[in-house]
Amino acid sequence: MEDPGSGARSHRSLKIVAILAFAAGAAITAGLIVHAGLAAVAAALSALGILGLIIIALAHLPIVALLGAAWWAVARPVERIGLANFIWARAVRDGAAEALPFSQVGGYVIGARALSLSGVEAHSASVSTIVDLAVEFSAKIPYLLLGLVMLEQLTPSKAGGLAIIGIGVCLAISAMLLHPRASTALGGMIGRLMPRWDRLAQSRERILDLLAQMTLRREALLPSALLHFLCWVLGAGETWLIFHLMHAPISLGAALVIDSLVGGLRMVSFFVPASIGIQEGGYVLLCGLFGIPPGMALAFSFARRARDILIAAPVLVSWQGREARALLPGRAESPAKDP
């Protein structure tokens, strides 16, 4: 039997790693600001202005709604909770990941909790979160592949070799994800891991049954994957819009390269809270390939963070309000079911 204290020790170790990663990322960001010049960063942000920040926040809301719809599509085989609840829970997930001092993993946990407050069974909320993340990652592969192809086309002399290597890696990952046994392997892996935790082992059969229902129905996974891919592509449009509002127009192709590759960096650095430093360094590096100065690249990164906080603030307040109501006696959530 596993040592009962091992889970607590692992949790403490993860917290230490997250703290160290955040400190390192903050130091990198500070160094980039010094290198670029604070005046250059401030000038680029002032060009955007409050109105520009509001515009990019409003432009991001439809993407949040589509991401919620993708999550809803995954959970539909087992849950009949209304679409609005998934959109709200997705907004909570993203807000917690971007605005609170957690890694992205903490945002996933809070998002699942928010969904359970809407009446979704806790097991369904957790499993659907995992499946949704897997589908989102799968949809990221073709988008990243498209970005690498565009990178090779637009900057063949600067990053052609890197693009070719990246394309090969993406194709290999895609082949594994598309293999018919991929979902079966995922279920088997979870099944082998679960006995290591007593409380989870008691729910093993229920969790594996939910996983099977959500992953074996392609008519649910395909719409979710398409919606996720659409959201990734719309992210390139957001990048194009922000740079234009900052009076640094770029092409849509360059915007797609920058957004896709930095998105890839953020996915592999999920253990770093808010990808601090990773996002800033990625933007400085990739924007430099298209002649965008470091100060403008950092201002762009900070504008995206400000947009996320502007959206997250009211969403997280509403989440805390629901948590408070759930603690009141006789105030059970009454979820909006689909007809």
Side-chain angles (χ1 to χ4, degrees):
M1 181 179 295
E2 188 173 341
D3 180 6
S6 62
R9 288 194 295 270
S10 299
H11 181 66
R12 286 195 297 270
S13 299
L14 290 174
K15 288 182 65 175
I16 292 172
V17 170
I19 291 171
L20 293 176
F22 182 84
I28 292 173
T29 301
L32 290 172
I33 292 174
V34 171
H35 170 70
L38 183 59
V41 177
L45 286 174
S46 65
L48 178 65
I50 299 297
L51 178 60
L53 179 60
I54 294 174
I55 290 173
I56 63 176
L58 292 175
H60 188 66
L61 294 180
I63 295 180
V64 176
L66 290 173
L67 290 170
W71 190 1
W72 177 69
V74 162
R76 284 279 288 173
V78 294
E79 293 290 345
R80 296 299 177 183
I81 302 300
L83 171 60
N85 294 287
F86 284 86
I87 294 175
W88 175 76
R90 177 67 199 221
V92 172
R93 181 206 292 184
D94 292 346
E98 298 297 337
L100 297 181
F102 304 132
S103 67
Q104 293 180 53
V105 175
Y108 304 151
V109 174
I110 292 175
R113 168 59 185 169
L115 188 59
S116 69
L117 288 173
S118 298
V120 176
E121 181 197 3
H123 289 137
S124 294
S126 300
V127 173
S128 68
T129 298
I130 294 172
V131 176
D132 182 58
L133 289 173
V135 174
E136 186 170 5
F137 177 78
S138 300
K140 177 66 178 178
I141 299 301
Y143 181 57
L144 183 58
L145 183 61
L146 181 59
L148 288 167
V149 171
M150 292 297 299
L151 175 65
E152 198 279 331
Q153 293 294 318
L154 296 175
T155 61
S157 61
K158 296 180 181 180
L162 175 63
I164 292 173
I165 294 173
I167 289 171
V169 172
C170 286
L171 289 175
I173 295 174
S174 298
M176 289 187 292
L177 291 173
L178 292 173
H179 195 279
R181 295 185 179 178
S183 59
T184 304
L186 176 61
M189 180 179 66
I190 294 176
R192 288 191 297 272
L193 290 175
M194 253 191 237
R196 300 185 182 182
W197 295 277
D198 292 338
R199 283 178 294 181
L200 284 180
Q202 296 172 4
S203 306
R204 178 178 180 272
E205 294 304 322
R206 172 61 178 160
I207 292 175
L208 292 179
D209 178 61
L210 288 168
L211 182 65
Q213 291 185 63
M214 292 181 190
T215 58
L216 296 180
R217 297 184 60 173
R218 302 301 178 186
E219 65 271 20
L221 293 181
L222 182 57
S224 179
L226 292 176
L227 285 171
H228 277 301
F229 181 75
L230 175 61
C231 290
W232 286 121
V233 174
L234 291 176
E238 284 189 290
T239 297
W240 177 88
L241 174 63
I242 295 172
F243 274 118
H244 274 70
L245 291 174
M246 293 171 62
H247 307 300
I250 61 174
S251 67
L252 278 173
L256 191 147
V257 170
I258 294 169
D259 183 70
S260 63
L261 298 190
V262 173
L265 289 175
R266 283 179 58 92
M267 291 193 73
V268 299
S269 62
F270 62 90
F271 57 90
V272 181
S275 294
I276 185 73
I278 303 297
Q279 174 174 300
E280 282 70 27
Y283 281 131
V284 169
L285 176 64
L286 290 165
C287 287
L289 295 176
F290 299 99
I292 300 172
M296 182 67 68
L298 288 173
F300 171 80
S301 180
F302 296 151
R304 292 196 64 153
R305 293 195 184 279
R307 175 207 69 188
D308 293 337
I309 293 174
L310 184 62
I311 295 173
V315 170
L316 294 179
V317 168
S318 69
W319 165 56
Q320 286 298 294
R322 283 202 181 187
E323 290 282 8
R325 289 197 300 273
L327 294 175
L328 296 176
R331 290 298 302 273
E333 290 284 341
S334 54
K337 300 267 185 178
D338 283 345

